[in-house]
Amino acid sequence: MEASTGAGYETALVRRRYEAVDPDNRLVARTLERDWEQALAAEQSLRGEQQRALAEEPEHLTENDRDAIRQLAQDIPALSRAASTTARDRQTIARMMLERVEILVAGETERAELTCHWSGGTTTRHAFTRPVRRFEQLEHFDKLLARIMDLRSQGATAQSIAEMLNAEGWTPPKKDNFNAPMIHRLLQRRGLGTTRPIWSGNVPRQHDGEVTLQEYADRVGAHRQTVYGWLRRGRIKGRLAKVGSQRIWLVNAANTSTGI
């Protein structure tokens, strides 16, 4: 506003000079006329700039607008949830309010805690599960393995073990759910998946003389496959007992000679 007023004053001054000059003094008159035209052009340019600046200036807030802003500033969650708040607005709010973020990881496990330090001294904490690469990194890996072995000892298949683990809320690394191949690989890495499980205490026996094929092999000092060959050829007697979904050979050690 001051610039345009000053330009108007300069234009009026040049105009008065032009009007006051003797018309017969044409050289002075042409010079003053040129100065007047330049002053008019400068004044018009400044007025145009002023109009553009006024058009770009935001509207003045009313007192009601100011009260609404103060209320929203005191309830940031409501401001963030508002339908008129865009994703970019939420990011801007977070950058303005969030001073520092800390992440604490429990060793190499999947358990972690996020701590947010907000403006004004407020602190919030959020526990979350981070992705890990190996089973051994899971916080409760020992309990998980014990659970798998317990289910395996009951005769559960890899598929049924996976289904039970999923139902109980266990989660594997890098995946959302367990599956049968995953159980097989885990058992093999632990040296437990290459042979069929061997039971002793959970096998239903008809009398004390019955032992599993492996127990009999240990007694006579032979390999389990060798003893199984004797069983197939009838050199020793045995029967099949069912444990869960598996069938186990039992041998009557009391009536079987160990001098085969």
Side-chain angles (χ1 to χ4, degrees):
M1 181 66 72
E2 293 180 358
S4 61
T5 301
Y9 174 78
E10 290 293 334
T11 303
L13 182 60
V14 173
R15 177 185 176 184
R16 286 196 298 271
R17 289 173 183 171
Y18 173 74
E19 291 176 344
V21 72
D22 187 350
D24 292 335
N25 195 344
R26 297 180 179 178
L27 178 60
V28 175
R30 284 196 298 269
T31 301
L32 291 175
E33 183 179 13
R34 184 173 59 250
D35 292 344
W36 186 18
E37 292 175 349
Q38 292 175 351
L40 283 172
E43 181 183 0
Q44 292 175 355
S45 176
L46 287 173
R47 290 187 182 280
E49 291 179 2
Q50 181 183 13
Q51 292 298 325
R52 288 192 294 272
L54 291 175
E56 295 175 357
E57 183 178 342
E59 296 182 4
H60 293 288
L61 297 176
T62 65
E63 192 59 34
N64 290 336
D65 293 334
R66 295 178 185 276
D67 290 340
I69 292 174
R70 293 189 187 99
Q71 291 178 4
L72 289 173
Q74 295 175 359
D75 191 355
I76 299 301
L79 176 62
S80 180
R81 292 192 299 267
S84 59
T85 304
T86 65
R88 184 181 295 275
D89 292 336
R90 293 185 181 92
Q91 293 175 356
T92 302
I93 293 171
R95 283 194 295 268
M96 293 176 62
M97 300 296 297
L98 195 57
E99 293 183 345
R100 188 172 75 258
V101 175
E102 298 173 351
I103 298 178
L104 178 64
V105 179
E108 296 184 354
T109 71
E110 78 281 18
R111 303 297 178 188
E113 183 181 74
L114 178 70
T115 303
C116 298
H117 298 269
W118 302 91
S119 298
T122 300
T123 301
T124 57
R125 292 180 173 83
H126 312 274
F128 68 97
T129 301
R130 72 184 186 103
V132 294
R133 298 180 59 85
R134 305 187 311 276
F135 273 99
E136 290 76 9
Q137 289 180 268
L138 296 176
E139 182 181 22
H140 301 297
F141 172 68
D142 292 340
K143 294 182 180 179
L144 170 64
L145 188 61
R147 179 58 176 152
I148 292 174
M149 294 309 302
D150 178 56
L151 294 172
R152 188 70 164 168
S153 68
Q154 297 175 33
T157 64
Q159 181 60 40
S160 61
I161 291 175
E163 293 173 355
M164 280 185 272
L165 292 179
N166 293 330
E168 292 172 3
W170 296 94
T171 54
K174 300 188 293 185
K175 299 285 186 179
D176 294 330
N177 294 297
F178 282 92
N179 54 43
M182 194 182 297
I183 299 297
H184 280 303
R185 289 194 298 269
L186 179 59
L187 291 173
Q188 288 172 355
R189 287 208 307 269
R190 308 296 295 186
L192 303 170
T194 56
T195 60
R196 289 165 59 96
I198 300 169
W199 294 269
S200 57
N202 294 329
V203 179
R205 306 168 193 251
Q206 292 181 346
H207 49 78
D208 293 339
E210 280 192 328
V211 295
T212 65
L213 207 63
Q214 182 64 52
E215 291 170 337
Y216 183 75
D218 293 339
R219 287 190 182 189
V220 300
H223 193 275
R224 184 173 181 273
Q225 291 299 324
T226 301
V227 175
Y228 183 66
W230 296 344
L231 183 65
R232 291 184 59 188
R233 292 191 294 271
R235 299 180 64 178
I236 59 176
K237 304 297 182 181
R239 69 178 182 88
L240 280 172
K242 189 173 183 180
V243 180
S245 61
Q246 302 289 339
R247 294 195 302 171
I248 308 300
W249 278 105
L250 293 176
V251 177
N252 188 348
N255 297 327
T256 302
S257 172
T258 57
I260 295 176

